[in-house]
Short mmCIF file of all heavy atoms in Angstrom, two decimals:
data_model
loop_
_atom_site.label_atom_id
_atom_site.label_comp_id
_atom_site.label_asym_id
_atom_site.label_seq_id
_atom_site.Cartn_x
_atom_site.Cartn_y
_atom_site.Cartn_z
N LEU A 1 11.47 -14.97 9.18
CA LEU A 1 12.85 -14.97 8.68
C LEU A 1 13.01 -14.20 7.38
O LEU A 1 14.07 -14.20 6.77
CB LEU A 1 13.34 -16.41 8.50
CG LEU A 1 13.32 -17.26 9.78
CD1 LEU A 1 13.74 -18.68 9.46
CD2 LEU A 1 14.21 -16.65 10.84
N GLY A 2 11.93 -13.54 6.91
CA GLY A 2 11.99 -12.75 5.69
C GLY A 2 11.76 -13.54 4.41
O GLY A 2 11.92 -13.02 3.32
N ARG A 3 11.36 -14.80 4.53
CA ARG A 3 11.11 -15.63 3.36
C ARG A 3 9.68 -15.38 2.86
O ARG A 3 8.78 -15.13 3.65
CB ARG A 3 11.26 -17.11 3.71
CG ARG A 3 12.60 -17.47 4.30
CD ARG A 3 12.63 -18.89 4.82
NE ARG A 3 11.67 -19.05 5.91
CZ ARG A 3 11.55 -20.15 6.65
NH1 ARG A 3 12.31 -21.21 6.39
NH2 ARG A 3 10.66 -20.23 7.62
N PRO A 4 9.46 -15.48 1.54
CA PRO A 4 8.09 -15.32 1.04
C PRO A 4 7.21 -16.49 1.48
O PRO A 4 7.67 -17.62 1.58
CB PRO A 4 8.26 -15.31 -0.48
CG PRO A 4 9.56 -15.98 -0.74
CD PRO A 4 10.42 -15.74 0.47
N ALA A 5 5.95 -16.17 1.77
CA ALA A 5 5.02 -17.21 2.23
C ALA A 5 3.60 -16.82 1.85
O ALA A 5 3.24 -15.65 1.87
CB ALA A 5 5.14 -17.39 3.73
N LEU A 6 2.81 -17.83 1.50
CA LEU A 6 1.38 -17.63 1.29
C LEU A 6 0.69 -17.81 2.63
O LEU A 6 1.15 -18.56 3.49
CB LEU A 6 0.83 -18.66 0.30
CG LEU A 6 1.42 -18.60 -1.11
CD1 LEU A 6 0.87 -19.75 -1.94
CD2 LEU A 6 1.11 -17.27 -1.76
N VAL A 7 -0.43 -17.11 2.82
CA VAL A 7 -1.16 -17.17 4.08
C VAL A 7 -2.42 -18.01 3.90
O VAL A 7 -3.20 -17.78 2.98
CB VAL A 7 -1.56 -15.76 4.55
CG1 VAL A 7 -2.43 -15.83 5.80
CG2 VAL A 7 -0.34 -14.91 4.80
N VAL A 8 -2.59 -19.00 4.77
CA VAL A 8 -3.80 -19.80 4.81
C VAL A 8 -4.45 -19.54 6.17
O VAL A 8 -3.79 -19.65 7.20
CB VAL A 8 -3.50 -21.31 4.65
CG1 VAL A 8 -4.78 -22.12 4.74
CG2 VAL A 8 -2.78 -21.57 3.34
N SER A 9 -5.74 -19.17 6.14
CA SER A 9 -6.43 -18.91 7.41
C SER A 9 -7.88 -19.35 7.32
O SER A 9 -8.43 -19.50 6.24
CB SER A 9 -6.35 -17.42 7.77
OG SER A 9 -6.98 -16.64 6.78
N ARG A 10 -8.46 -19.55 8.50
CA ARG A 10 -9.88 -19.89 8.58
C ARG A 10 -10.70 -18.63 8.39
O ARG A 10 -10.34 -17.57 8.88
CB ARG A 10 -10.20 -20.44 9.97
CG ARG A 10 -10.25 -21.88 10.04
CD ARG A 10 -10.67 -22.40 11.37
NE ARG A 10 -11.21 -21.42 12.30
CZ ARG A 10 -11.47 -21.67 13.55
NH1 ARG A 10 -11.23 -22.85 14.03
NH2 ARG A 10 -11.97 -20.76 14.35
N THR A 11 -11.81 -18.75 7.74
CA THR A 11 -12.70 -17.60 7.59
C THR A 11 -13.90 -17.79 8.53
O THR A 11 -15.02 -17.97 8.09
CB THR A 11 -13.17 -17.45 6.13
OG1 THR A 11 -13.71 -18.70 5.69
CG2 THR A 11 -12.05 -17.03 5.23
N ASP A 12 -13.62 -17.77 9.82
CA ASP A 12 -14.64 -17.91 10.84
C ASP A 12 -14.95 -16.52 11.38
O ASP A 12 -14.31 -16.03 12.30
CB ASP A 12 -14.14 -18.83 11.95
CG ASP A 12 -15.18 -19.09 13.02
OD1 ASP A 12 -16.20 -18.37 13.06
OD2 ASP A 12 -14.97 -20.01 13.82
N ARG A 13 -15.90 -15.85 10.75
CA ARG A 13 -16.19 -14.46 11.11
C ARG A 13 -16.65 -14.31 12.55
O ARG A 13 -16.32 -13.33 13.22
CB ARG A 13 -17.22 -13.87 10.16
CG ARG A 13 -16.65 -13.71 8.78
CD ARG A 13 -17.62 -13.06 7.86
NE ARG A 13 -17.02 -13.10 6.53
CZ ARG A 13 -17.50 -12.49 5.51
NH1 ARG A 13 -18.59 -11.78 5.63
NH2 ARG A 13 -16.91 -12.56 4.35
N GLU A 14 -17.42 -15.27 13.04
CA GLU A 14 -17.91 -15.18 14.42
C GLU A 14 -16.74 -15.17 15.40
O GLU A 14 -16.68 -14.35 16.31
CB GLU A 14 -18.85 -16.34 14.73
CG GLU A 14 -19.50 -16.24 16.08
CD GLU A 14 -20.52 -17.35 16.31
OE1 GLU A 14 -21.22 -17.73 15.36
OE2 GLU A 14 -20.59 -17.82 17.46
N PHE A 15 -15.77 -16.07 15.20
CA PHE A 15 -14.59 -16.10 16.07
C PHE A 15 -13.77 -14.83 15.90
O PHE A 15 -13.32 -14.24 16.87
CB PHE A 15 -13.72 -17.33 15.76
CG PHE A 15 -12.42 -17.33 16.53
CD1 PHE A 15 -12.41 -17.67 17.87
CD2 PHE A 15 -11.24 -16.97 15.92
CE1 PHE A 15 -11.22 -17.65 18.60
CE2 PHE A 15 -10.05 -16.95 16.63
CZ PHE A 15 -10.04 -17.29 17.97
N ALA A 16 -13.56 -14.41 14.66
CA ALA A 16 -12.75 -13.21 14.40
C ALA A 16 -13.38 -11.99 15.07
O ALA A 16 -12.68 -11.16 15.65
CB ALA A 16 -12.60 -12.98 12.90
N GLU A 17 -14.71 -11.86 14.99
CA GLU A 17 -15.37 -10.72 15.62
C GLU A 17 -15.29 -10.80 17.14
O GLU A 17 -15.12 -9.79 17.81
CB GLU A 17 -16.82 -10.64 15.16
CG GLU A 17 -16.97 -10.21 13.72
CD GLU A 17 -18.40 -10.28 13.22
OE1 GLU A 17 -19.32 -10.54 14.04
OE2 GLU A 17 -18.61 -10.08 12.02
N LEU A 18 -15.41 -11.99 17.69
CA LEU A 18 -15.35 -12.17 19.13
C LEU A 18 -13.95 -11.90 19.67
O LEU A 18 -13.78 -11.18 20.65
CB LEU A 18 -15.80 -13.59 19.49
CG LEU A 18 -15.79 -13.95 20.96
CD1 LEU A 18 -16.83 -13.12 21.72
CD2 LEU A 18 -16.08 -15.43 21.14
N ALA A 19 -12.93 -12.46 19.04
CA ALA A 19 -11.56 -12.38 19.54
C ALA A 19 -10.74 -11.27 18.87
O ALA A 19 -9.69 -10.90 19.38
CB ALA A 19 -10.85 -13.71 19.33
N ASN A 20 -11.21 -10.77 17.72
CA ASN A 20 -10.44 -9.81 16.93
C ASN A 20 -9.05 -10.35 16.60
O ASN A 20 -8.08 -9.62 16.54
CB ASN A 20 -10.32 -8.45 17.62
CG ASN A 20 -11.48 -7.57 17.31
OD1 ASN A 20 -12.22 -7.81 16.36
ND2 ASN A 20 -11.66 -6.53 18.09
N LEU A 21 -8.96 -11.66 16.43
CA LEU A 21 -7.68 -12.31 16.17
C LEU A 21 -7.87 -13.37 15.10
O LEU A 21 -8.86 -14.09 15.09
CB LEU A 21 -7.16 -12.97 17.45
CG LEU A 21 -5.80 -13.62 17.39
CD1 LEU A 21 -4.72 -12.56 17.19
CD2 LEU A 21 -5.52 -14.39 18.67
N ARG A 22 -6.91 -13.45 14.17
CA ARG A 22 -6.95 -14.47 13.14
C ARG A 22 -5.63 -15.25 13.21
O ARG A 22 -4.55 -14.66 13.24
CB ARG A 22 -7.11 -13.83 11.76
CG ARG A 22 -7.14 -14.83 10.63
CD ARG A 22 -7.38 -14.19 9.26
NE ARG A 22 -6.37 -13.21 8.94
CZ ARG A 22 -6.63 -11.95 8.59
NH1 ARG A 22 -7.87 -11.50 8.54
NH2 ARG A 22 -5.65 -11.12 8.30
N ASP A 23 -5.74 -16.57 13.28
CA ASP A 23 -4.56 -17.43 13.22
C ASP A 23 -4.27 -17.76 11.77
O ASP A 23 -5.18 -18.16 11.03
CB ASP A 23 -4.79 -18.72 14.01
CG ASP A 23 -4.89 -18.48 15.50
OD1 ASP A 23 -4.14 -17.61 16.00
OD2 ASP A 23 -5.69 -19.14 16.16
N GLU A 24 -3.01 -17.59 11.36
CA GLU A 24 -2.63 -17.83 9.97
C GLU A 24 -1.49 -18.85 9.91
O GLU A 24 -0.58 -18.81 10.72
CB GLU A 24 -2.16 -16.53 9.32
CG GLU A 24 -3.23 -15.45 9.29
CD GLU A 24 -2.76 -14.15 8.68
OE1 GLU A 24 -1.54 -13.89 8.63
OE2 GLU A 24 -3.63 -13.39 8.25
N VAL A 25 -1.56 -19.74 8.92
CA VAL A 25 -0.48 -20.69 8.64
C VAL A 25 0.25 -20.15 7.42
O VAL A 25 -0.37 -19.73 6.44
CB VAL A 25 -1.05 -22.10 8.36
CG1 VAL A 25 0.07 -23.05 7.96
CG2 VAL A 25 -1.79 -22.62 9.57
N LEU A 26 1.58 -20.15 7.48
CA LEU A 26 2.41 -19.62 6.39
C LEU A 26 2.99 -20.78 5.59
O LEU A 26 3.59 -21.69 6.15
CB LEU A 26 3.51 -18.73 6.96
CG LEU A 26 3.01 -17.59 7.85
CD1 LEU A 26 4.18 -16.82 8.44
CD2 LEU A 26 2.10 -16.66 7.08
N ILE A 27 2.80 -20.73 4.27
CA ILE A 27 3.15 -21.82 3.36
C ILE A 27 4.16 -21.33 2.32
O ILE A 27 3.99 -20.25 1.75
CB ILE A 27 1.88 -22.34 2.64
CG1 ILE A 27 0.79 -22.72 3.63
CG2 ILE A 27 2.19 -23.47 1.68
CD1 ILE A 27 1.11 -23.91 4.48
N ASP A 28 5.17 -22.14 2.03
CA ASP A 28 6.13 -21.83 0.98
C ASP A 28 5.38 -21.79 -0.36
O ASP A 28 4.71 -22.75 -0.72
CB ASP A 28 7.21 -22.91 0.95
CG ASP A 28 8.30 -22.63 -0.07
OD1 ASP A 28 7.98 -22.40 -1.26
OD2 ASP A 28 9.48 -22.67 0.31
N PRO A 29 5.48 -20.69 -1.12
CA PRO A 29 4.73 -20.58 -2.36
C PRO A 29 5.19 -21.51 -3.48
O PRO A 29 4.46 -21.74 -4.44
CB PRO A 29 4.91 -19.11 -2.78
CG PRO A 29 6.11 -18.64 -2.06
CD PRO A 29 6.24 -19.48 -0.83
N GLU A 30 6.38 -22.09 -3.36
CA GLU A 30 6.88 -22.99 -4.40
C GLU A 30 6.67 -24.47 -4.04
O GLU A 30 6.26 -25.26 -4.87
CB GLU A 30 8.35 -22.72 -4.68
CG GLU A 30 8.58 -21.35 -5.31
CD GLU A 30 10.04 -21.10 -5.61
OE1 GLU A 30 10.83 -22.07 -5.68
OE2 GLU A 30 10.40 -19.92 -5.77
N THR A 31 6.98 -24.84 -2.80
CA THR A 31 6.91 -26.24 -2.40
C THR A 31 5.65 -26.57 -1.60
O THR A 31 5.34 -27.74 -1.39
CB THR A 31 8.12 -26.62 -1.53
OG1 THR A 31 8.05 -25.90 -0.29
CG2 THR A 31 9.43 -26.32 -2.23
N PHE A 32 4.97 -25.55 -1.12
CA PHE A 32 3.78 -25.68 -0.26
C PHE A 32 4.09 -26.33 1.08
O PHE A 32 3.21 -26.82 1.76
CB PHE A 32 2.63 -26.39 -1.00
CG PHE A 32 2.23 -25.67 -2.25
CD1 PHE A 32 2.60 -26.16 -3.49
CD2 PHE A 32 1.53 -24.48 -2.18
CE1 PHE A 32 2.26 -25.48 -4.65
CE2 PHE A 32 1.18 -23.80 -3.34
CZ PHE A 32 1.55 -24.30 -4.57
N ALA A 33 5.36 -26.30 1.48
CA ALA A 33 5.76 -26.77 2.81
C ALA A 33 5.40 -25.69 3.83
O ALA A 33 5.38 -24.50 3.53
CB ALA A 33 7.26 -27.04 2.84
N CYS A 34 5.16 -26.12 5.05
CA CYS A 34 4.83 -25.18 6.12
C CYS A 34 6.06 -24.33 6.45
O CYS A 34 7.15 -24.85 6.64
CB CYS A 34 4.36 -25.93 7.35
SG CYS A 34 3.90 -24.85 8.69
N ARG A 35 5.88 -23.01 6.51
CA ARG A 35 6.95 -22.09 6.88
C ARG A 35 6.81 -21.59 8.31
O ARG A 35 7.73 -21.06 8.88
CB ARG A 35 6.95 -20.87 5.94
CG ARG A 35 7.48 -21.16 4.56
CD ARG A 35 8.90 -20.63 4.48
NE ARG A 35 9.63 -21.12 3.36
CZ ARG A 35 9.92 -20.41 2.28
NH1 ARG A 35 9.49 -19.19 2.16
NH2 ARG A 35 10.66 -20.95 1.35
N GLY A 36 5.60 -21.69 8.87
CA GLY A 36 5.38 -21.21 10.24
C GLY A 36 3.94 -20.79 10.43
O GLY A 36 3.05 -21.18 9.66
N LYS A 37 3.72 -19.97 11.44
CA LYS A 37 2.37 -19.45 11.69
C LYS A 37 2.48 -18.10 12.37
O LYS A 37 3.54 -17.73 12.89
CB LYS A 37 1.55 -20.43 12.53
CG LYS A 37 2.08 -20.68 13.91
CD LYS A 37 1.19 -21.69 14.63
CE LYS A 37 1.68 -21.90 16.05
NZ LYS A 37 0.77 -22.76 16.80
N ARG A 38 1.37 -17.38 12.36
CA ARG A 38 1.35 -16.09 13.02
C ARG A 38 -0.07 -15.76 13.46
O ARG A 38 -1.05 -16.32 12.95
CB ARG A 38 1.91 -14.98 12.13
CG ARG A 38 1.09 -14.68 10.90
CD ARG A 38 1.79 -13.66 10.02
NE ARG A 38 0.90 -13.20 8.95
CZ ARG A 38 1.20 -12.26 8.10
NH1 ARG A 38 2.38 -11.67 8.18
NH2 ARG A 38 0.36 -11.89 7.17
N GLY A 39 -0.18 -14.87 14.41
CA GLY A 39 -1.47 -14.37 14.86
C GLY A 39 -1.60 -12.92 14.44
O GLY A 39 -0.65 -12.14 14.58
N VAL A 40 -2.74 -12.56 13.91
CA VAL A 40 -2.96 -11.20 13.41
C VAL A 40 -4.14 -10.59 14.16
O VAL A 40 -5.24 -11.16 14.17
CB VAL A 40 -3.24 -11.19 11.89
CG1 VAL A 40 -3.51 -9.78 11.40
CG2 VAL A 40 -2.06 -11.80 11.14
N TYR A 41 -3.90 -9.46 14.81
CA TYR A 41 -4.97 -8.72 15.46
C TYR A 41 -5.66 -7.90 14.39
O TYR A 41 -5.01 -7.23 13.60
CB TYR A 41 -4.40 -7.82 16.56
CG TYR A 41 -5.36 -7.65 17.70
CD1 TYR A 41 -5.55 -8.66 18.63
CD2 TYR A 41 -6.11 -6.49 17.84
CE1 TYR A 41 -6.45 -8.53 19.67
CE2 TYR A 41 -7.01 -6.34 18.87
CZ TYR A 41 -7.17 -7.36 19.79
OH TYR A 41 -8.07 -7.23 20.81
N LEU A 42 -6.99 -7.96 14.36
CA LEU A 42 -7.76 -7.40 13.25
C LEU A 42 -8.22 -5.97 13.52
O LEU A 42 -8.41 -5.56 14.66
CB LEU A 42 -8.96 -8.29 12.97
CG LEU A 42 -8.63 -9.75 12.69
CD1 LEU A 42 -9.90 -10.56 12.59
CD2 LEU A 42 -7.78 -9.88 11.44
N VAL A 43 -8.44 -5.24 12.44
CA VAL A 43 -8.98 -3.89 12.50
C VAL A 43 -10.26 -3.91 13.33
O VAL A 43 -11.08 -4.82 13.21
CB VAL A 43 -9.30 -3.36 11.08
CG1 VAL A 43 -10.08 -2.06 11.14
CG2 VAL A 43 -8.03 -3.18 10.28
N GLY A 44 -10.41 -2.92 14.17
CA GLY A 44 -11.62 -2.82 14.98
C GLY A 44 -11.42 -3.23 16.42
O GLY A 44 -12.21 -2.90 17.28
N GLY A 45 -10.35 -3.96 16.70
CA GLY A 45 -10.05 -4.34 18.07
C GLY A 45 -9.23 -3.26 18.76
O GLY A 45 -8.97 -2.20 18.19
N LYS A 46 -8.83 -3.54 19.97
CA LYS A 46 -7.99 -2.60 20.72
C LYS A 46 -6.82 -3.35 21.33
O LYS A 46 -6.97 -4.47 21.80
CB LYS A 46 -8.79 -1.92 21.84
CG LYS A 46 -9.84 -0.97 21.34
CD LYS A 46 -10.53 -0.28 22.49
CE LYS A 46 -11.56 0.70 21.96
NZ LYS A 46 -12.23 1.42 23.07
N ILE A 47 -5.65 -2.71 21.33
CA ILE A 47 -4.47 -3.23 22.00
C ILE A 47 -4.10 -2.20 23.06
O ILE A 47 -3.83 -1.04 22.73
CB ILE A 47 -3.30 -3.47 21.02
CG1 ILE A 47 -3.67 -4.53 19.98
CG2 ILE A 47 -2.04 -3.88 21.78
CD1 ILE A 47 -2.61 -4.77 18.94
N ASP A 48 -4.12 -2.62 24.32
CA ASP A 48 -3.88 -1.71 25.44
C ASP A 48 -4.76 -0.47 25.36
O ASP A 48 -4.33 0.65 25.62
CB ASP A 48 -2.40 -1.30 25.50
CG ASP A 48 -1.49 -2.48 25.82
OD1 ASP A 48 -1.95 -3.41 26.51
OD2 ASP A 48 -0.33 -2.46 25.38
#
């Protein structure tokens, strides 16, 4: 929605290398309430 958010993610390199995907939780930088989540495809993978 265009709101500022801090990103919290797991640093599981084995999973990231296997799936080339990182799951991120988005947190309000002022209240620390959950704003949502997103999936990020990482450098080194392929899409189509």
Side-chain angles (χ1 to χ4, degrees):
L1 301 177
R3 304 171 297 186
L6 298 175
V7 175
V8 178
S9 61
R10 261 185 12 189
T11 53
D12 184 346
R13 292 184 186 188
E14 186 175 323
F15 174 77
E17 289 173 7
L18 179 66
N20 273 343
L21 184 67
R22 179 177 59 234
D23 292 322
E24 299 178 339
V25 176
L26 305 176
I27 306 293
D28 183 307
E30 293 181 19
T31 66
F32 301 105
C34 181
R35 286 258 165 106
K37 63 181 183 174
R38 66 185 189 175
V40 178
Y41 212 76
L42 305 173
V43 170
K46 291 183 179 182
I47 297 177
D48 294 331

